[in-house]
Each structure stands twice: as structure tokens, then as C-alpha cells.
Amino acid sequence: MSEAPALETFQTRDALSDAAAGALADALRAALAHDGRASLIVTGGSSPGPVYDRLADADLGWDRVTVTLSDDRFVPETSDLSNARLVRERLLQHEASAARFVPLVHGGATPDADAAAAEPEVEALAPFAAVLLGVGEDGHIASLFPGAPGVAEALDPVGPRGVVGVPEARLAPFVPRISLTARLLFRTSLVVVLITGEAKRALVERVRAEPAYDPPVAAVLRQSLAPVRVLWAP
Ligand code: 6PG
């Protein structure tokens, strides 16, 4: 366990999105220069869309980049709730349209079946150039919710599974999910945690101040396997 990093604060959401897109583009360029290929994990929710709009225009050799998700909702890609749809519509555009996308939802019978199908393909992409995560107001990351069955195991970097089915979400939208676990999320050169608003700032500050306070995001902030930047704007 290491000390949680301090928040990097920005005055506006535009400045926050510029910084996040810049950090992800830099990480991709470094991995491409080093390995000739790179993989990126992005996330869902409402905060990252403007980051994707910016990143889509980055000139960096997207034809050698593979993009996948930290988690998705177990819905068809035509649904407004689909994170894959968000990524296709906001990130895989312009320059980034040349990237390969690996979805987590495969149209299987259950979230668990799709998680098992996705796991080898996602695992083959590790180590990742960068992982983008949001944080819920309950402290969840990806679709790993506080108090959910199996969440402690999913937050253990040496846990047995890299991708899991989450039959029940603990926060809206209340649809089953598929989520990467700590075993894969921390195999990266950089984690960027993107947060907005006073409630999430207070939550992250509380993780920094109170060792006994342990929502899922604490597992990200206190681990020492991957460097973490926490970017915040009001
Ligand atoms: C999802 C996410 C989830 C999200 C947080 C923050 O599919 O819902 O991947 O973990 O990142 O809930 O969401 P906001 O960006 O909407 O605050």
C-alpha cells in the first residue's frame, strides 16, 4: 500500500478534459515508441465524453492502438446506456477511427458468460499504456461497487479473475455489468482518475486522510503497481 496521490485541480471542465486527453495521448505515444503498439482502457459515465472528443483528434498512430473498456453495461450497443456506444461515437472518430476496439459485451446469455469470453482477449492486451477511470459518488470504479458480492476479490491485484460479470449494479443505471478487475486494471503505465464536483473531491480527500475508509477507489489510490494521476475540476 502506498500513499494516495494528491488531486491535480483544474478551474474548468474544459481544462480538465484537455489535461486528461493530453495525459492519455502522451502515454499512448510513449508505448508506441517503445513497443510499436499500444492499448488503452477507457471508461463510461458522463465525465469522459469531452476527453474522448479531444483524444480522437490526436495524431499518434491510432492504427497500432487497441481500445477496450474498464466496464460496460450488459445491454446491446444500440442502447443509450452502452459504454461501447459512447466510445464508438465519441472516441473512435477522426484520427482515432483507425484504432481497433475490443468490446466487453458479446451478446452472450449472461454477464458472466460475456466476461469469460472477453477475459483472454483483454488480458492479451496487457500491459496497457493507460487506464482511464471515473469514480461514482459511492466510491465505485469500473463496475466494482462497494459492498457488492465478490468485490474484495475483484479489487485484489492477484485475484483469480481479470474480467467479471456483475449481476446487479448498486447505482443507476441499474443494469447488470461486465467489469475488469484490479488484476488487469493495474497492469498499466498510468491510471488517470477523472473526477468532477465537490462530492467526489471530498470522497478522494477522505481516502487520503482516513486509512480505515475503504471504498473501491481506495484500492486504486493506495496501490503501488501503477502510477496514478487524479484530475479534478468543479
Ligand atoms: C459506468 C462507469 C463508472 C463511471 C463512474 C463515474 O459505466 O458507469 O464506467 O464506473 O466511470 O460511475 O461516472 P460519471 O463520469 O458519470 O461521474
Side-chain angles (χ1 to χ4, degrees):
M1 284 286 161
S2 58
E3 201 179 321
L7 264 74
E8 299 175 46
T9 67
F10 297 86
Q11 294 202 331
T12 64
R13 293 193 181 193
D14 275 346
L16 172 76
S17 302
D18 286 345
L24 298 175
D26 286 349
L28 286 170
R29 288 190 182 102
L32 287 168
H34 192 262
D35 302 327
R37 62 177 195 99
S39 52
L40 173 67
I41 296 189
V42 292
T43 199
S46 54
S47 319
V51 177
Y52 302 156
D53 296 339
R54 287 160 170 80
L55 190 57
D57 286 327
D59 181 9
L60 52 74
W62 283 101
D63 57 334
R64 291 176 291 138
V65 173
T66 304
V67 176
T68 189
L69 280 159
S70 65
D71 63 311
D72 206 346
R73 291 83 180 263
F74 188 62
V75 294
E77 266 193 37
T78 46
S79 165
D80 285 347
L81 299 178
S82 166
N83 288 344
R85 177 175 176 173
L86 169 76
V87 168
R88 288 195 199 275
E89 290 182 349
R90 303 288 291 271
L91 177 58
L92 302 175
Q93 299 287 332
H94 309 284
E95 297 291 330
S97 62
R100 183 167 81 98
F101 179 58
V102 172
L104 301 179
V105 175
H106 289 81
T110 62
D112 252 332
D114 274 6
E119 182 165 306
E121 212 178 348
V122 177
E123 193 143 27
L125 301 173
F128 311 105
V131 172
L132 177 68
L133 294 173
V135 181
E137 292 197 354
D138 58 353
H140 78 261
I141 50 119
S143 285
L144 305 177
F145 296 93
V151 75
E153 193 172 85
L155 291 168
D156 180 349
V158 294
R161 296 283 307 276
V163 186
V164 290
V166 178
E168 199 183 316
R170 298 283 176 112
L171 213 63
F174 293 101
V175 289
R177 315 287 186 98
I178 295 165
S179 185
L180 270 58
T181 69
R183 176 171 142 171
L184 286 177
L185 290 170
F186 302 161
R187 288 184 62 195
T188 180
S189 301
L190 177 67
V191 179
V192 175
V193 177
L194 182 74
I195 51 173
T196 55
E198 287 306 329
K200 291 182 189 174
R201 177 188 188 137
L203 189 148
V204 167
E205 294 295 5
R206 191 173 162 206
V207 170
R208 279 166 52 74
E210 280 181 44
Y213 179 54
D214 203 21
V217 67
V220 178
L221 301 179
R222 295 180 184 143
Q223 54 78 39
S224 48
L225 297 169
V228 183
R229 292 181 62 185
V230 185
L231 309 184
W232 175 86

PDB file of all heavy atoms in Angstrom, residues 41-45 48 52 68-71 83 86-87 132-134 141-142 194:
ATOM      1  N   ILE A  41      -7.341   1.568 -22.016  1.00  0.00           N
ATOM      2  CA  ILE A  41      -8.619   1.224 -21.394  1.00  0.00           C
ATOM      3  C   ILE A  41      -9.343   2.515 -21.059  1.00  0.00           C
ATOM      4  O   ILE A  41      -8.795   3.374 -20.342  1.00  0.00           O
ATOM      5  CB  ILE A  41      -8.395   0.385 -20.124  1.00  0.00           C
ATOM      6  CG1 ILE A  41      -7.757  -0.942 -20.526  1.00  0.00           C
ATOM      7  CG2 ILE A  41      -9.707   0.168 -19.400  1.00  0.00           C
ATOM      8  CD1 ILE A  41      -7.659  -1.959 -19.445  1.00  0.00           C
ATOM      9  N   VAL A  42     -10.548   2.638 -21.577  1.00  0.00           N
ATOM     10  CA  VAL A  42     -11.340   3.829 -21.283  1.00  0.00           C
ATOM     11  C   VAL A  42     -12.584   3.412 -20.517  1.00  0.00           C
ATOM     12  O   VAL A  42     -12.814   2.226 -20.284  1.00  0.00           O
ATOM     13  CB  VAL A  42     -11.678   4.601 -22.577  1.00  0.00           C
ATOM     14  CG1 VAL A  42     -10.418   5.214 -23.171  1.00  0.00           C
ATOM     15  CG2 VAL A  42     -12.402   3.712 -23.586  1.00  0.00           C
ATOM     16  N   THR A  43     -13.382   4.409 -20.126  1.00  0.00           N
ATOM     17  CA  THR A  43     -14.473   4.104 -19.213  1.00  0.00           C
ATOM     18  C   THR A  43     -15.772   4.738 -19.671  1.00  0.00           C
ATOM     19  O   THR A  43     -15.807   5.448 -20.683  1.00  0.00           O
ATOM     20  CB  THR A  43     -14.050   4.539 -17.788  1.00  0.00           C
ATOM     21  OG1 THR A  43     -14.860   3.892 -16.829  1.00  0.00           O
ATOM     22  CG2 THR A  43     -14.115   6.040 -17.610  1.00  0.00           C
ATOM     23  N   GLY A  44     -16.846   4.476 -18.906  1.00  0.00           N
ATOM     24  CA  GLY A  44     -18.149   5.021 -19.267  1.00  0.00           C
ATOM     25  C   GLY A  44     -18.520   6.190 -18.377  1.00  0.00           C
ATOM     26  O   GLY A  44     -17.653   6.842 -17.813  1.00  0.00           O
ATOM     27  N   GLY A  45     -19.816   6.430 -18.228  1.00  0.00           N
ATOM     28  CA  GLY A  45     -20.269   7.537 -17.398  1.00  0.00           C
ATOM     29  C   GLY A  45     -20.339   8.828 -18.186  1.00  0.00           C
ATOM     30  O   GLY A  45     -20.105   8.861 -19.396  1.00  0.00           O
ATOM     31  N   PRO A  48     -16.315  11.360 -19.218  1.00  0.00           N
ATOM     32  CA  PRO A  48     -15.230  11.230 -20.194  1.00  0.00           C
ATOM     33  C   PRO A  48     -15.536  11.666 -21.625  1.00  0.00           C
ATOM     34  O   PRO A  48     -14.597  11.830 -22.402  1.00  0.00           O
ATOM     35  CB  PRO A  48     -14.875   9.742 -20.160  1.00  0.00           C
ATOM     36  CG  PRO A  48     -16.042   9.044 -19.611  1.00  0.00           C
ATOM     37  CD  PRO A  48     -16.804  10.015 -18.789  1.00  0.00           C
ATOM     38  N   TYR A  52     -12.836  12.215 -24.747  1.00  0.00           N
ATOM     39  CA  TYR A  52     -12.784  11.435 -25.987  1.00  0.00           C
ATOM     40  C   TYR A  52     -12.838  12.347 -27.211  1.00  0.00           C
ATOM     41  O   TYR A  52     -12.133  12.099 -28.198  1.00  0.00           O
ATOM     42  CB  TYR A  52     -13.931  10.411 -26.029  1.00  0.00           C
ATOM     43  CG  TYR A  52     -13.921   9.444 -24.870  1.00  0.00           C
ATOM     44  CD1 TYR A  52     -15.071   8.802 -24.449  1.00  0.00           C
ATOM     45  CD2 TYR A  52     -12.731   9.174 -24.186  1.00  0.00           C
ATOM     46  CE1 TYR A  52     -15.048   7.917 -23.383  1.00  0.00           C
ATOM     47  CE2 TYR A  52     -12.712   8.291 -23.116  1.00  0.00           C
ATOM     48  CZ  TYR A  52     -13.873   7.674 -22.712  1.00  0.00           C
ATOM     49  OH  TYR A  52     -13.851   6.805 -21.650  1.00  0.00           O
ATOM     50  N   THR A  68     -10.098  -0.736 -25.304  1.00  0.00           N
ATOM     51  CA  THR A  68     -11.185  -1.501 -24.687  1.00  0.00           C
ATOM     52  C   THR A  68     -11.703  -0.727 -23.487  1.00  0.00           C
ATOM     53  O   THR A  68     -11.317   0.426 -23.273  1.00  0.00           O
ATOM     54  CB  THR A  68     -10.755  -2.949 -24.358  1.00  0.00           C
ATOM     55  OG1 THR A  68     -11.913  -3.691 -23.970  1.00  0.00           O
ATOM     56  CG2 THR A  68      -9.719  -3.009 -23.255  1.00  0.00           C
ATOM     57  N   LEU A  69     -12.608  -1.332 -22.733  1.00  0.00           N
ATOM     58  CA  LEU A  69     -13.317  -0.624 -21.665  1.00  0.00           C
ATOM     59  C   LEU A  69     -12.989  -1.175 -20.282  1.00  0.00           C
ATOM     60  O   LEU A  69     -12.754  -2.383 -20.130  1.00  0.00           O
ATOM     61  CB  LEU A  69     -14.819  -0.773 -21.887  1.00  0.00           C
ATOM     62  CG  LEU A  69     -15.424   0.173 -22.920  1.00  0.00           C
ATOM     63  CD1 LEU A  69     -16.746  -0.374 -23.442  1.00  0.00           C
ATOM     64  CD2 LEU A  69     -15.638   1.565 -22.312  1.00  0.00           C
ATOM     65  N   SER A  70     -13.039  -0.301 -19.279  1.00  0.00           N
ATOM     66  CA  SER A  70     -12.920  -0.753 -17.888  1.00  0.00           C
ATOM     67  C   SER A  70     -14.144  -1.562 -17.493  1.00  0.00           C
ATOM     68  O   SER A  70     -14.065  -2.450 -16.643  1.00  0.00           O
ATOM     69  CB  SER A  70     -12.803   0.446 -16.954  1.00  0.00           C
ATOM     70  OG  SER A  70     -14.007   1.201 -16.988  1.00  0.00           O
ATOM     71  N   ASP A  71     -15.291  -1.220 -18.094  1.00  0.00           N
ATOM     72  CA  ASP A  71     -16.547  -1.901 -17.769  1.00  0.00           C
ATOM     73  C   ASP A  71     -17.611  -1.488 -18.775  1.00  0.00           C
ATOM     74  O   ASP A  71     -17.467  -0.479 -19.457  1.00  0.00           O
ATOM     75  CB  ASP A  71     -17.013  -1.542 -16.351  1.00  0.00           C
ATOM     76  CG  ASP A  71     -17.340  -0.068 -16.172  1.00  0.00           C
ATOM     77  OD1 ASP A  71     -16.507   0.777 -16.580  1.00  0.00           O
ATOM     78  OD2 ASP A  71     -18.422   0.235 -15.648  1.00  0.00           O
ATOM     79  N   ASN A  83     -21.649   1.655 -22.886  1.00  0.00           N
ATOM     80  CA  ASN A  83     -20.361   2.372 -22.890  1.00  0.00           C
ATOM     81  C   ASN A  83     -19.636   2.158 -24.215  1.00  0.00           C
ATOM     82  O   ASN A  83     -18.908   3.042 -24.676  1.00  0.00           O
ATOM     83  CB  ASN A  83     -19.491   1.894 -21.730  1.00  0.00           C
ATOM     84  CG  ASN A  83     -19.998   2.370 -20.393  1.00  0.00           C
ATOM     85  OD1 ASN A  83     -20.815   3.290 -20.320  1.00  0.00           O
ATOM     86  ND2 ASN A  83     -19.532   1.741 -19.314  1.00  0.00           N
ATOM     87  N   LEU A  86     -20.810   4.796 -26.474  1.00  0.00           N
ATOM     88  CA  LEU A  86     -20.152   6.072 -26.154  1.00  0.00           C
ATOM     89  C   LEU A  86     -18.758   6.134 -26.780  1.00  0.00           C
ATOM     90  O   LEU A  86     -18.370   7.135 -27.397  1.00  0.00           O
ATOM     91  CB  LEU A  86     -20.056   6.220 -24.628  1.00  0.00           C
ATOM     92  CG  LEU A  86     -19.179   7.357 -24.104  1.00  0.00           C
ATOM     93  CD1 LEU A  86     -19.895   8.697 -24.258  1.00  0.00           C
ATOM     94  CD2 LEU A  86     -18.799   7.144 -22.642  1.00  0.00           C
ATOM     95  N   VAL A  87     -18.016   5.053 -26.636  1.00  0.00           N
ATOM     96  CA  VAL A  87     -16.644   5.025 -27.160  1.00  0.00           C
ATOM     97  C   VAL A  87     -16.650   5.094 -28.695  1.00  0.00           C
ATOM     98  O   VAL A  87     -15.863   5.834 -29.293  1.00  0.00           O
ATOM     99  CB  VAL A  87     -15.908   3.771 -26.646  1.00  0.00           C
ATOM    100  CG1 VAL A  87     -14.602   3.546 -27.373  1.00  0.00           C
ATOM    101  CG2 VAL A  87     -15.666   3.907 -25.149  1.00  0.00           C
ATOM    102  N   LEU A 132      -8.121   4.793 -18.063  1.00  0.00           N
ATOM    103  CA  LEU A 132      -8.923   5.925 -17.595  1.00  0.00           C
ATOM    104  C   LEU A 132     -10.059   5.391 -16.737  1.00  0.00           C
ATOM    105  O   LEU A 132     -10.780   4.475 -17.155  1.00  0.00           O
ATOM    106  CB  LEU A 132      -9.501   6.690 -18.796  1.00  0.00           C
ATOM    107  CG  LEU A 132     -10.411   7.867 -18.447  1.00  0.00           C
ATOM    108  CD1 LEU A 132      -9.615   9.004 -17.784  1.00  0.00           C
ATOM    109  CD2 LEU A 132     -11.138   8.391 -19.693  1.00  0.00           C
ATOM    110  N   LEU A 133     -10.236   5.966 -15.559  1.00  0.00           N
ATOM    111  CA  LEU A 133     -11.328   5.564 -14.663  1.00  0.00           C
ATOM    112  C   LEU A 133     -12.096   6.777 -14.178  1.00  0.00           C
ATOM    113  O   LEU A 133     -11.500   7.846 -13.945  1.00  0.00           O
ATOM    114  CB  LEU A 133     -10.778   4.835 -13.430  1.00  0.00           C
ATOM    115  CG  LEU A 133     -10.111   3.478 -13.646  1.00  0.00           C
ATOM    116  CD1 LEU A 133      -9.484   2.986 -12.338  1.00  0.00           C
ATOM    117  CD2 LEU A 133     -11.111   2.444 -14.174  1.00  0.00           C
ATOM    118  N   GLY A 134     -13.408   6.617 -14.009  1.00  0.00           N
ATOM    119  CA  GLY A 134     -14.203   7.594 -13.274  1.00  0.00           C
ATOM    120  C   GLY A 134     -14.459   7.050 -11.879  1.00  0.00           C
ATOM    121  O   GLY A 134     -14.064   5.922 -11.554  1.00  0.00           O
ATOM    122  N   ILE A 141     -15.434   2.176  -8.768  1.00  0.00           N
ATOM    123  CA  ILE A 141     -14.670   2.361 -10.004  1.00  0.00           C
ATOM    124  C   ILE A 141     -15.060   1.221 -10.941  1.00  0.00           C
ATOM    125  O   ILE A 141     -15.457   0.158 -10.478  1.00  0.00           O
ATOM    126  CB  ILE A 141     -13.140   2.359  -9.780  1.00  0.00           C
ATOM    127  CG1 ILE A 141     -12.726   1.139  -8.939  1.00  0.00           C
ATOM    128  CG2 ILE A 141     -12.665   3.643  -9.145  1.00  0.00           C
ATOM    129  CD1 ILE A 141     -11.793   0.206  -9.607  1.00  0.00           C
ATOM    130  N   ALA A 142     -14.924   1.470 -12.250  1.00  0.00           N
ATOM    131  CA  ALA A 142     -15.409   0.493 -13.235  1.00  0.00           C
ATOM    132  C   ALA A 142     -16.826   0.097 -12.804  1.00  0.00           C
ATOM    133  O   ALA A 142     -17.637   0.969 -12.503  1.00  0.00           O
ATOM    134  CB  ALA A 142     -14.428  -0.670 -13.348  1.00  0.00           C
ATOM    135  N   LEU A 194     -10.522  10.448 -13.328  1.00  0.00           N
ATOM    136  CA  LEU A 194     -11.146  11.700 -13.767  1.00  0.00           C
ATOM    137  C   LEU A 194     -12.365  11.964 -12.892  1.00  0.00           C
ATOM    138  O   LEU A 194     -13.313  11.167 -12.903  1.00  0.00           O
ATOM    139  CB  LEU A 194     -11.580  11.511 -15.226  1.00  0.00           C
ATOM    140  CG  LEU A 194     -12.206  12.695 -15.935  1.00  0.00           C
ATOM    141  CD1 LEU A 194     -11.124  13.722 -16.270  1.00  0.00           C
ATOM    142  CD2 LEU A 194     -12.903  12.231 -17.223  1.00  0.00           C
TER     143      LEU A 194
END
